[in-house]
């Protein structure tokens, strides 16, 4: 809805402001459906070309859906991540 769209646009603007034109390394934890991912990737591609992005979620379903939606973007990885579990 409207509030979520507003938040996602603000997030994209914040990423653009942080980039100062230099590539960034970004990890999205709990990407879910990717509603915030699109505006962030757009901002990165416009203001910080060459940025590396890692899309993560605890659910393999959401990771696969994110890869189907954003997988054509270079320098983008898709991984399962459960921050509640200790990495071994």
């Amino acid at each position: 809805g409207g509030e979520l769209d507003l938040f996602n646009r603000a997030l994209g603007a914040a990423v653009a402001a942080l980039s100062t034109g230099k590539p960034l390394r970004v990890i999205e934890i709990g990407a879910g459906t990717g509603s915030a991912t699109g505006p962030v990737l757009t901002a990165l591609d416009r203001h910080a070309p060459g940025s590396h992005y890692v899309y993560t979620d605890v659910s393999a379903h959401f990771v696969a859906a994110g890869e189907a939606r954003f997988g054509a973007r270079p320098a983008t990885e898709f991984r399962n991540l459960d921050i509640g579990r200790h990495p071994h």
Side-chain angles (χ1 to χ4, degrees):
E3 290 179 1
L4 183 59
D5 291 340
L6 180 63
F7 173 79
N8 289 339
R9 285 194 305 274
L11 182 60
V15 168
L18 288 172
S19 73
T20 64
K22 298 177 184 172
L24 299 174
R25 294 179 55 82
V26 178
I27 182 169
E28 182 176 1
I29 298 173
T33 62
S35 65
T37 308
V40 171
L41 291 178
T42 298
L44 288 173
D45 291 343
R46 185 174 298 138
H47 300 285
S51 291
H52 185 108
Y53 198 86
V54 183
Y55 179 109
T56 72
D57 199 272
V58 68
S59 164
H61 169 78
F62 284 134
V63 173
E67 189 165 11
R69 185 172 173 190
F70 303 109
R73 183 188 181 273
T76 305
E77 295 179 48
F78 301 86
R79 297 187 180 188
N80 286 97
L81 176 65
D82 181 352
I83 63 168
R85 296 183 69 171
H86 187 279
H88 301 284

